[in-house]
Amino acid sequence: MEPRTVLKEKFFIVTRGKSRKGFCRGCIGRIESETKRGEFVGLLYGGNSNPGTPKNGGLVKIEDMYPLTRHQAQLLLFISSASRRLELLCNPQLFSAICELSQDDLVVVKHKNGHLPGLVKNLMQIGRKDNKDDLYMLAFEVEFVDTDHTLSSKKPPLSLFSAADIIQVVPSYSVPLGLQWKDAICGGLNRKAVTRNSCIANIGSCAQPATENHTEQSLIQNQSLSSVPLEVGSMVEVVSNSGITVYGVIRWLGVPGGKTGEWAGIELDYDVKGCSDGMYGGQRFFTCKEKRALFVPITKCSPDGRFLSASTGKEILKSTDTTPVPPYEDTDEDVPPIPEFEAPFLLVGKMKGIQGHINSCYLDATLFSLFSSSVTLDGICKKPADTDQPITCTLRAIVNRLRRQGFVPAESVMNFRTHLGCDTFRTEEKDPEEFITVLFQKVLCTEPLLKLRSKRETSQGAYTFQIFLEKEQMGQIPTVQQLMDTSCLSGDLKFETMPSCLIVQMPRFGNKYKMFSHIIPSLKLDITDLLYNSPRECFVCGRLAEYECLQCLPDRKLQPGRIKQYCTTCNAQIHNHPSRQGHSPSALAVPVEVPTDTPVPRHTMELFAVLCIQTSHYVSFVKYGSDAHSWIFFDSMADRCGDDQSGYNIPEVRACPELGDFLSQPEEELSQANPSQAPELVRRLLCDSYMFLYQSSTTCFESQTVRSLKCV
């Protein structure tokens, strides 16, 4: 958000910056004075006894706060959760509409029974005002409306809701009461609803006044929208029987059983009571969260009006238009990786992450995976000698903006691409491994991440590890652990030292060839047996291993796909079997000082990101915390506004907890799972995985909040 000149009323909300004594993100305050250093002394609202009474707060920087009117501050003050205040503030069009609500405006609110429509009846003052500096909190009294468009007599006549409980606003002038609501579904008045996903307008904008011209423009828009073609991936809106407009993305088109004409399966922006998870008529057409899937005739769908002009129905763009992004002021302070508790609020949604432009998806997905939430690069990369070189400063600005604001516009990335040394980086498609090499060598000036030792006792450095093996060596659906073990053993490669970051490239070449149709991620990668001259444990008895056997790797009687190393006794017994007498086990370099009965410590790495490719387009999955469900999916070009010449891409970050559910299954169940039955995003990862990014287990997520960006 843009730091603005402080308003006369001097109310504000803290939107960013490190927590200080008295103030933290989401706090509401009032400015009292300004220090010589340009900081403000503020009073803090939100006490337990009377939230409207201010108390001593402390100092706050102007770039860390956002100015509020008294009315806005009162509405936000009734929202007890700081994160919900900030979430509402990040939807400026909705917040503006809520601030302009008047009597009998139609709203949709969160309720224990789901999302319900209702009419605003009163704006209630909550709390007490003992002195002139106190603030009343403001809440809305809402009267529910039944689906037959009559006021409800079965529910309490008036219920109290905060501004954060309102997820959609439909002004009263655009929704006449009675039967006209139902008639409007078939082409009457266009209800220009405002929802939580509207994020282009500024907070200062006001609701459009009710005029005859507004109604006329709405009718013209409806007529023009009817001719716009819709396809899978189109963003659409549908008017429900209760007069409420819902928004979503078409995930399926076709004719379901027992129906005639084309229907659309839509994944909605939020939960709606009565909707499914992609099932319809006992058949699954796509997969999404429960209460998000709506199936309607395609004739009931219209292009998402939030991205269309009111007069022509065309997307709101001119040749000189730029991406509607919030302004950003860079600071010298480096920003630590996004903490787990903050990532869903800061990152999830449309116009989040890194905005793609002209074949940049390989770079966008790689930067987002490496820098958004992981501390890996912060620890292993050192500052270059020339910290003022333009490309270093540009990368630093990109990383800081992503971690502070949750969004990086395409212009910033294009500026970075122009400094990479080759014109093809600005315009052509590239593979992530090529960019990673340039990133570490030229931009971060680091030594190779990996030091590999071959059978010939030669050592070589690398930034990524490419899997090489024969398909016959593996099962139909291998795990990353199995691929790593087999590839290292087949090529007689070992890691000289424990890597801090391991980027594993799958046996596929772009979008043209892949050896395996699906690959199962390994959440933890055990590389104990892949370290050179390191103590290893006998596969059978657990004592110190002295031999290793490549031919035993695929043995179905000995856990196929696992590296087999043995002590002297077990090596003789295992290879005494007739089927193994032809094997040629090789001796291991055993450290002399290690006793044979000493327990061998395990060296593991944790998965923190996956790059995927489908039809030349790269996306990524990122694990942003220690919780099993802390997964997000990032696509820098998830949608587009406008045409190829004058439009811009809309990046999107989606929460993906279902991936955590899938990967939490035991390894035996994962090996027998049917990927075609997995949820959509899980299936995409299993099928399209290109690179798996691991970090040392000692580089844990708990350090995210205290470690700063050291690599740029």
Side-chain angles (χ1 to χ4, degrees):
M1 288 183 181
E2 178 186 10
R4 300 182 183 178
T5 303
V6 181
L7 300 177
K8 293 181 179 180
E9 294 182 276
K10 298 184 179 181
F11 295 100
F12 65 89
I13 182 171
V14 180
T15 58
R16 63 187 185 190
K18 296 180 179 179
S19 297
R20 298 189 174 194
K21 182 179 179 181
F23 283 112
C24 60
R25 296 182 73 249
C27 288
I28 296 173
R30 194 190 72 214
I31 292 175
E32 288 294 292
S33 61
E34 183 176 359
T35 67
K36 294 181 179 179
R37 297 173 57 186
E39 296 181 320
F40 292 94
V41 179
L43 296 179
L44 174 67
Y45 288 93
N48 293 330
S49 57
N50 183 15
T53 299
K55 62 179 182 180
N56 291 334
L59 296 177
V60 61
K61 297 179 180 179
I62 189 170
E63 63 265 21
D64 292 337
M65 65 184 184
Y66 193 88
L68 301 172
T69 66
R70 175 182 290 268
H71 184 67
Q72 290 171 338
Q74 289 176 291
L75 287 172
L76 293 174
L77 194 58
F78 189 62
I79 305 171
S80 58
S81 168
S83 62
R84 293 186 71 195
R85 292 174 187 167
L86 292 170
E87 181 182 1
L88 178 58
L89 200 67
C90 284
N91 290 271
Q93 190 174 2
L94 175 63
F95 188 42
S96 176
I98 291 174
C99 292
E100 298 291 335
L101 280 173
S102 57
Q103 189 174 18
D104 289 334
D105 276 349
L106 178 65
V107 295
V108 180
V109 296
K110 292 181 181 178
H111 189 267
K112 61 182 180 180
N113 295 327
H115 296 115
L116 299 178
L119 297 177
V120 174
K121 289 301 178 183
N122 296 299
L123 184 63
M124 300 297 294
Q125 293 181 339
I126 310 296
R128 63 179 185 271
K129 189 170 183 178
D130 298 330
N131 57 68
K132 63 182 182 61
D133 292 329
D134 289 353
L135 283 181
Y136 285 117
M137 297 180 290
L138 296 181
F140 297 96
E141 280 191 329
V142 176
E143 195 169 17
F144 290 115
V145 177
D146 281 337
T147 55
D148 60 357
H149 323 309
T150 60
L151 296 181
S152 173
S153 59
K154 300 179 181 179
K155 300 182 178 67
L158 294 176
S159 297
L160 205 60
F161 292 94
S162 72
D165 295 323
I166 298 174
I167 63 173
Q168 186 172 330
V169 173
V170 185
S172 55
Y173 61 76
S174 63
V175 187
L177 290 174
L179 294 178
Q180 291 182 3
W181 287 15
K182 189 172 183 179
D183 296 338
I185 299 173
C186 300
L189 291 177
N190 179 60
R191 290 160 301 281
K192 191 58 182 175
V194 182
T195 71
R196 288 199 173 276
N197 289 322
S198 300
C199 57
I200 295 179
N202 293 322
I203 285 183
S205 63
C206 300
Q208 185 176 357
T211 63
E212 294 180 3
N213 185 49
H214 172 70
T215 302
E216 181 180 350
Q217 289 181 349
S218 298
L219 292 171
I220 295 174
Q221 179 179 345
N222 260 1
Q223 294 170 2
S224 62
L225 294 185
S226 62
S227 61
V228 177
L230 299 176
E231 57 187 15
V232 174
S234 295
M235 301 169 63
V236 295
E237 60 183 45
V238 179
V239 181
S240 70
N241 291 335
S242 57
I244 304 303
T245 304
V246 294
Y247 299 90
V249 178
I250 294 180
R251 298 297 184 195
W252 173 85
L253 288 173
V255 182
K259 302 295 182 181
T260 58
E262 189 175 31
W263 280 52
I266 304 169
E267 182 178 357
L268 300 176
D269 288 348
Y270 53 82
D271 296 354
V272 173
K273 186 178 180 181
C275 291
S276 70
D277 62 352
M279 295 281 290
Y280 184 77
Q283 183 178 355
R284 179 167 297 282
F285 294 95
F286 65 97
T287 301
C288 65
K289 290 184 178 180
E290 187 68 32
K291 298 181 181 179
R292 292 284 183 97
L294 175 68
F295 292 85
V296 294
I298 191 67
T299 54
K300 298 292 184 182
C301 302
S302 301
D304 193 329
R306 298 170 296 178
F307 301 98
L308 301 169
S309 71
S311 59
T312 65
K314 296 181 180 180
E315 289 167 293
I316 307 174
L317 274 180
K318 300 178 182 178
S319 58
T320 57
D321 282 346
T322 57
T323 307
V325 299
Y328 174 77
E329 181 178 337
D330 194 15
T331 63
D332 294 332
E333 182 182 2
D334 288 327
V335 184
I338 303 171
E340 182 173 8
F341 72 90
E342 189 177 347
F345 158 72
L346 186 64
L347 289 176
V348 174
K350 296 183 186 296
M351 295 303 289
K352 294 290 187 178
I354 301 175
Q355 185 181 31
H357 183 60
I358 310 179
N359 299 323
S360 69
C361 59
Y362 72 93
L363 184 146
D364 306 327
T366 303
L367 290 180
F368 186 85
S369 299
L370 288 173
F371 292 108
S372 60
S373 295
S374 174
V375 298
T376 303
L377 271 297
D378 291 25
I380 65 176
C381 301
K382 306 300 180 183
K383 277 192 175 183
D386 183 6
T387 56
D388 293 327
Q389 59 176 323
I391 192 169
T392 302
C393 297
T394 304
L395 176 62
R396 175 180 175 275
I398 289 174
V399 174
N400 282 339
R401 183 163 188 172
L402 176 63
R403 292 175 172 181
R404 185 187 295 274
Q405 195 177 50
F407 175 78
V408 180
E411 293 80 4
S412 299
V413 181
M414 280 300 294
N415 185 28
F416 176 66
R417 294 167 73 183
T418 58
H419 291 94
L420 288 176
C422 180
D423 289 340
T424 58
F425 275 107
R426 290 188 297 140
T427 57
E428 297 182 8
E429 295 178 358
K430 297 283 186 178
D431 292 325
E433 61 269 24
E434 181 179 356
F435 167 63
I436 287 173
T437 300
V438 173
L439 175 69
F440 283 98
Q441 280 185 343
K442 180 175 180 179
V443 184
L444 301 176
C445 303
T446 63
E447 295 294 326
L449 301 178
L450 311 176
K451 292 184 179 180
L452 300 171
R453 181 176 289 270
S454 66
K455 184 177 182 180
R456 296 184 299 275
E457 297 297 317
T458 58
S459 179
Q460 58 183 356
Y463 292 103
T464 62
F465 185 90
Q466 172 68 63
I467 297 291
F468 287 108
L469 43 70
E470 298 293 332
K471 187 175 183 179
E472 293 72 21
Q473 293 178 275
M474 304 303 304
Q476 187 175 3
I477 305 180
T479 66
V480 176
Q481 180 76 62
Q482 293 169 346
L483 292 172
M484 276 291 300
D485 291 349
T486 306
S487 181
C488 286
L489 206 55
S490 299
D492 202 1
L493 293 175
K494 291 289 188 293
F495 295 100
E496 278 197 351
T497 58
M498 176 75 178
S500 296
C501 179
L502 175 58
I503 303 174
V504 186
Q505 189 175 344
M506 294 298 101
R508 64 178 299 168
F509 303 99
N511 65 321
K512 298 178 181 179
Y513 169 79
K514 58 181 179 180
M515 184 175 290
F516 302 100
S517 61
H518 300 86
I519 295 175
I520 302 293
S522 299
L523 289 177
K524 284 190 177 294
L525 196 64
D526 191 333
I527 65 169
T528 306
D529 300 332
L530 304 179
L531 294 175
Y532 176 75
N533 202 25
S534 177
R536 295 166 61 182
E537 186 179 84
C538 175
F539 179 77
V540 179
C541 69
R543 296 172 66 86
L544 190 66
E546 300 175 72
Y547 294 90
E548 182 179 69
C549 183
L550 173 62
Q551 290 95 329
C552 284
L553 186 70
D555 196 317
R556 295 187 177 277
K557 296 181 180 180
L558 297 172
Q559 295 188 25
R562 295 286 301 276
I563 289 182
K564 311 302 189 306
Q565 62 275 331
Y566 312 102
C567 65
T568 302
T569 303
C570 293
N571 181 60
Q573 293 176 347
I574 287 292
H575 291 99
N576 190 41
H577 191 281
S579 65
R580 306 187 191 101
Q581 290 178 356
H583 291 189
S584 302
S586 57
L588 295 174
V590 181
V592 179
E593 68 277 6
V594 180
T596 58
D597 57 349
T598 299
V600 177
R602 309 306 297 180
H603 300 279
T604 61
M605 306 195 75
E606 296 179 358
L607 180 66
F608 71 89
V610 183
L611 294 181
C612 297
I613 181 175
Q614 184 183 50
T615 60
S616 301
H617 182 60
Y618 289 94
V619 297
S620 66
F621 293 82
V622 174
K623 195 170 192 299
Y624 62 85
S626 57
D627 187 88
H629 298 91
S630 295
W631 282 94
I632 50 179
F633 168 77
F634 166 62
D635 186 348
S636 65
M637 304 178 182
D639 206 342
R640 186 165 181 84
C641 188
D643 55 31
D644 292 340
Q645 287 72 37
S646 60
Y648 58 86
N649 290 309
I650 300 176
E652 181 179 15
V653 178
R654 297 165 60 183
C656 190
E658 61 269 28
L659 180 57
D661 289 331
F662 182 85
L663 296 179
S664 297
Q665 300 178 81
E667 185 175 326
E668 296 76 16
E669 294 183 17
L670 285 174
S671 63
Q672 300 174 5
N674 184 357
S676 62
Q677 299 298 320
E680 175 197 358
L681 291 181
V682 176
R683 186 169 61 252
R684 188 167 183 178
L685 183 146
L686 300 178
C687 181
D688 301 333
S689 56
Y690 186 82
M691 277 184 172
F692 289 85
L693 283 63
Y694 288 88
Q695 62 184 0
S696 172
S697 296
T698 57
T699 310
C700 57
F701 289 108
E702 284 73 17
S703 62
Q704 290 184 15
T705 57
V706 296
R707 298 186 64 177
S708 61
L709 185 64
K710 299 178 182 178
C711 57
V712 290

